[in-house]
Amino acid sequence: MYSYDTLRSSAACVVAWGLLACSGSTSTQGGAPAGSAGTTGSAGTTGSAGTTGSAGTTGTAGTTGSAGTAGTAGAGAAGGQPNLIPTNTTASAVATKLGHSNFLIGMGNDLADNHDQDGAYTLGTPVDVHYAYLVGLLGQGGWPDWNSGGTFVNILTDSAKSHGAVPMFTLYSMAAQGENRTDVLTQDAFMQPYWDGAKLLFQRIAVFDGPAIVQFEPDFWGFTEQASADPAGLPVHVGALAPDCSSQPDNLIGMGNCLVTLARKYAPKAVVGFHVSGWADSDPAKIAAYLLKIGAGAGDIVTTDTLDRDAGCFEAGTDPNCQRSGTFYWDENNVQSPTFHEHLAWVKTITDAMSKPMLWWQTPFGVPSATPGGSMGHYRDNRVHYIFGHISEFIAAGGLGVVFGVGAGNQTYIDTDGGQFKSAVASYFAAPVAL
């Protein structure tokens, strides 16, 4: 994941985790197409009705040439309390909810390393999903402040829709003061804007009034599992700060359930899920059991990553963002560990135990090479090569899809990979694989 100190700000704009947002009437996504707020300020986000069965008012998202003021999505889904009973969900059912029937392929985090925010839309072939990070806290320079009333969300939803993609958001606000900070869970100055921001996210998705994906706090659950194997024993300020969750306990179980509660209540069209960190425990069954305890069973999907940077970047070891020990380039022949089959077996344990399909996220773009390492923008990796050649294996492991993107600067990207990703996407969508 990104470290919070990569956030940079200026008088009108911020660049954070590879995303650009500007306040006021010049909200920009750098050459954004129709449906988002481009450099000319040509189009504000399009408002639509809040969620049905609510007592709230219909929200609208703003006026032409401006991101506008956040509308209020209604309070309440289908006229009652959200259903948090754990359910079995299949990849095909989730894809249908998102308007698709195939194994999903997506891309995101385009602006990392100063690439165009709309990089996913330059491939010549529409992708199924476009994702972006949402970082920081409300009132503290975080994503809700980037555009008036949190409408940064709608800039991205509207742009995705105009390109035939489902918008996906990575809620990554628990790292606002650094990763692995479980101490902030009982600090009202942190948790109040956290809960307000989470609610705002789903209100903005409700204004969009279309399918979207939200994954909750990558790696955070791995840190909390290591901090306390019993989530009931980890205190969190929940009910007093998030009135929609007043019945939830003030611990990590309450926190997980509250995130799902907010999603179901304000944005019932959204698909949501918790991120699975492989390093949380050596036993994937224990990871799955832990996530089920904190409410992941009431979600729709689970997410994970094969690796958040090119394998070659770690092999070269010269970039400060790539300083880990291990073997990162997997054997495509599935003979010598680590292999792709080992990873897929790990995923199958998770998806079977949780009865949720897996969405792989932030998968690197690197190109295969027999020579370890590489150089900035040209590090080796073989995940694109293997995945597109073995889609059926990923489906068999419980897969819903794969979204690709860089996890740090200086990585291989679609303009430095010799056309590998563009070609793979074009070939795949010529005959997409049904779920």
Side-chain angles (χ1 to χ4, degrees):
M1 306 311 132
Y2 292 96
S3 60
Y4 192 70
D5 59 12
T6 60
L7 177 63
R8 304 192 306 275
S9 64
S10 63
C13 304
V14 293
V15 179
W17 282 256
L19 300 175
L20 175 66
C22 302
S23 59
S25 61
T26 56
S27 301
T28 176
Q29 293 307 310
S36 67
T39 53
T40 59
S42 59
T45 52
T46 302
S48 62
T51 50
T52 58
S54 70
T57 57
T58 300
T60 58
T63 59
T64 302
S66 162
T69 301
T72 302
Q81 291 296 317
N83 184 358
L84 296 183
I85 298 173
T87 58
N88 297 339
T89 51
T90 65
S92 59
V94 173
T96 297
K97 184 174 181 178
L98 296 171
H100 292 276
S101 60
N102 60 282
F103 184 80
L104 305 178
I105 296 295
M107 179 181 154
N109 208 28
D110 317 66
L111 241 181
D113 216 15
N114 295 319
H115 292 292
D116 190 339
Q117 170 65 39
D118 293 329
Y121 307 137
T122 67
L123 297 169
T125 304
V127 294
D128 297 315
V129 178
H130 179 268
Y131 83 85
Y133 272 86
L134 298 179
V135 303
L137 297 174
L138 177 67
Q140 300 179 26
W143 73 265
D145 307 320
W146 296 349
N147 298 91
S148 176
T151 49
F152 178 70
V153 167
N154 297 107
I155 292 172
L156 295 183
T157 58
D158 295 355
S159 181
K161 182 178 180 179
S162 72
H163 290 92
V166 174
M168 175 179 176
F169 299 97
T170 295
L171 182 61
Y172 194 60
S173 293
M174 284 307 301
Q177 294 183 9
E179 291 186 326
N180 198 12
R181 289 288 304 275
T182 56
D183 58 305
V184 301
L185 293 170
T186 54
Q187 297 175 14
D188 287 359
F190 187 99
M191 293 306 297
Q192 185 67 72
Y194 179 84
W195 288 123
D196 291 345
K199 178 179 176 179
L200 179 61
L201 165 60
F202 290 110
Q203 288 179 317
R204 297 315 311 176
I205 291 175
V207 169
F208 168 58
D209 197 30
I213 304 170
V214 178
Q215 68 162 329
F216 299 134
E217 303 296 347
D219 284 346
F220 177 71
W221 316 111
F223 290 126
T224 60
E225 183 175 0
Q226 293 186 340
S228 174
D230 176 16
L234 192 60
V236 183
H237 288 185
V238 181
L241 305 180
D244 293 304
C245 304
S246 59
S247 63
Q248 295 296 335
D250 282 324
N251 55 34
L252 201 72
I253 295 173
M255 178 180 179
N257 278 289
C258 187
L259 287 168
V260 180
T261 294
L262 294 172
R264 299 303 188 222
K265 184 171 184 177
Y266 293 102
K269 292 183 180 180
V271 164
V272 300
F274 290 71
H275 180 267
V276 185
S277 297
W279 48 263
D281 192 284
S282 60
D283 184 350
K286 290 183 179 179
I287 298 175
Y290 178 85
L291 290 172
L292 289 172
K293 288 179 182 178
I294 63 173
D300 305 290
I301 62 173
V302 285
T303 65
T304 196
D305 42 305
T306 59
L307 190 64
D308 60 348
R309 294 154 171 83
D310 292 322
C313 190
F314 292 108
E315 293 170 336
T318 56
D319 192 304
N321 291 313
C322 300
Q323 299 297 312
R324 300 178 198 161
S325 59
T327 302
F328 302 99
Y329 197 83
W330 295 350
D331 179 13
E332 292 194 47
N333 294 318
N334 294 300
V335 175
Q336 184 173 345
S337 184
T339 70
F340 283 88
H341 283 179
E342 289 172 340
H343 171 74
L344 292 170
W346 177 88
V347 168
K348 187 69 160 56
T349 300
I350 297 288
T351 57
D352 282 352
M354 298 185 67
S355 297
K356 305 292 172 192
M358 181 66 74
L359 180 63
W360 285 269
W361 161 78
Q362 199 166 261
T363 306
F365 293 107
V367 180
S369 173
T371 304
S375 59
M376 184 175 68
H378 298 276
Y379 293 114
R380 77 163 184 164
D381 201 280
N382 57 358
R383 285 159 178 79
V384 169
H385 182 259
Y386 189 88
I387 290 169
F388 279 100
H390 301 82
I391 296 291
S392 61
E393 292 183 4
F394 286 77
I395 294 176
L400 169 65
V402 183
V403 292
F404 297 81
V406 297
N410 303 329
Q411 306 303 299
T412 307
Y413 188 63
I414 59 173
D415 58 1
T416 63
D417 69 347
Q420 172 188 245
F421 188 70
K422 182 177 182 179
S423 176
V425 166
S427 295
Y428 175 75
F429 282 106
V433 182
L435 290 167

